[in-house]
Amino acid sequence: MPPSEGAGREPVVLITGASSGIGRACAEHLHRRGCCVYGTSRDPASHDTPFPLIAMDVTDEAAVERGILWIAEQEGRLDVVVNNAGWGLAGAVEQTSITEAYAQMDVNFCGVLRVCRAVLPVMRAQGGGLIVNVSSMAGLVGLPFQSLYSASKFAVEGLTEALRVEVHPFGVRVVLIEPGDFRTAFQREWTDEARASDVYRERAERAIAIMESDERSGSSPGQVARLLERIIRARHPRVRYVVGDLSQRMMAALRRLLPDAVIEWAIRSYYKV
C-alpha cells in the first residue's frame, strides 16, 4: 500500500487529464472516498471540479516537473500518479504524416514518460509509491485506422513492463489499466490527408463510426474509477487490469490464445473493413 496509508492517512493522488472522461470520473470517485486528489488540465480555469485542478500540459516537461514538485511540497508526499491524459488520431497509416505521428506519441507516450521521470525521484525518496498508466485495449490489439493511437498504447505497455522491474527495489509499483469502450467525450482527430483523400475514406469512416457507437453505448467510466480504487488499496497489484464489458474482456483474453490470423479476421469482420 502507499506509504500514507501505512501511516493511517489517505493517499495523495495525481491524475492527469482529469477535466473530463475517465480521468474526471476517477478523480471525483477518489475525492468522495477521502483521498487527497489533484487533477491536471491544460486549462483548469474553464472547468468546475470538486477537487483541485492544476495547469499541466504533459507535452511540456518543465510544466510537468513544476506541477509534481508543487504537490509534493504542498502535501509532503505524492503516493499515486495516474497517467490518463491522451487523445486519438484517426486515419490510415499511409495518410498519417510524421508530424501528426509525433504529436500523437508526444501526448500518449512521451507524456507518460515525462510524468514518470518527474515523479520517480519523489517516490524513491519517500520509500514507495504507485504509478498507474492508463493504456487501452488498443494497446493489446491494433485498431484499423487508429494505428498511431494503438502504437502509442503498445509503447506504454512496453514501458510499464520494463519500469516495473527497474523500480521494484525502491518500493514503487507500476500498473496498467486497459479500458475498453466507455461513455466519455473521447477526443479523436482525423489526419489532414484522411480528410482530403478518398482512398481509404469509406472503410475508415465505417470503422471509426463503429468505434464511436461502441463508446456511446459503453459502460459508465465510474467502473474504471472503482477499479482504480481497488488497485490503490491492493498490497500486491497485478501488472494488467482489463476493464470493459464481458465481450471486450473475453477478446483481451483470447488475444493471447488465438492465432494472429483469427484475430485479424475478427477485427476485419467486426469493423467491416
Side-chain angles (χ1 to χ4, degrees), residues 9 25 68 73 81 119 138 141-142 153 204 214 222 228 264 272:
R9 296 176 295 180
I68 287 174
E73 290 171 357
V81 165
V119 79
V141 180
K153 295 302 185 178
D214 288 345
L228 175 61
E264 186 176 313
K272 297 179 172 58

Side-chain angles (χ1 to χ4, degrees), residues 15 23-33 37 48-51:
I15 302 177
R24 178 156 185 160
C26 290
E28 289 182 343
H29 175 78
L30 294 179
H31 174 74
R32 288 194 301 269
R33 298 288 290 171
V37 179
D48 183 20
T49 60
F51 52 88

Side-chain angles (χ1 to χ4, degrees), residues 60-234:
D60 183 338
E61 188 164 357
V64 170
E65 292 175 351
R66 281 197 306 270
I68 287 174
L69 290 177
W70 182 81
I71 294 171
E73 290 171 357
Q74 290 288 114
E75 302 297 337
R77 65 194 194 276
L78 179 49
D79 304 303
V80 181
V81 165
V82 182
N83 280 305
N84 168 76
W87 65 286
L89 185 65
V93 170
E94 183 183 348
Q95 297 177 330
T96 303
S97 71
I98 298 301
T99 299
E100 290 167 329
Y102 277 142
Q104 177 73 109
M105 298 298 289
D106 196 19
V107 175
N108 290 12
F109 174 69
C110 293
V112 172
L113 177 59
R114 291 185 187 97
V115 172
C116 288
R117 279 173 44 82
V119 79
L120 280 170
V122 174
M123 290 184 170
R124 284 192 296 100
Q126 69 191 16
L130 172 66
I131 297 172
V132 179
N133 293 332
V134 179
S135 177
S136 167
M137 288 192 189
L140 302 175
V141 180
L143 294 182
F145 306 108
Q146 277 208 229
S147 51
L148 267 298
Y149 177 74
S150 282
S152 70
K153 295 302 185 178
F154 269 76
V156 169
E157 298 265 334
L159 173 73
T160 303
E161 289 184 0
L163 183 58
R164 280 177 61 91
V165 177
E166 293 175 1
V167 300
H168 180 265
F170 304 110
V172 179
R173 301 160 299 157
V174 192
V175 173
L176 284 160
I177 293 180
E178 298 161 334
D181 294 313
F182 287 89
R183 294 194 305 273
T184 65
F186 179 66
Q187 182 187 4
R188 183 182 285 112
E189 298 180 12
W190 288 91
T191 68
D192 290 341
E193 192 173 344
R195 286 195 294 263
S197 170
D198 293 331
V199 175
Y200 294 95
R201 178 171 295 165
E202 182 179 348
R203 294 168 61 227
E205 290 182 346
R206 187 161 57 237
I208 296 298
I210 291 171
M211 295 174 198
E212 291 177 341
S213 175
D214 288 345
E215 290 161 5
R216 288 192 298 271
S217 62
S219 302
S220 164
Q223 185 178 350
V224 184
R226 292 187 293 274
L227 170 62
L228 175 61
E229 184 185 7
R230 293 198 299 274
I231 293 170
I232 290 172
R233 305 296 187 192

Side-chain angles (χ1 to χ4, degrees), residues 257-271:
L257 300 173
L258 294 177
D260 289 341
V262 174
I263 297 297
E264 186 176 313
W265 170 83
I267 292 170
R268 289 200 310 267
S269 299
Y270 185 79
Y271 292 114

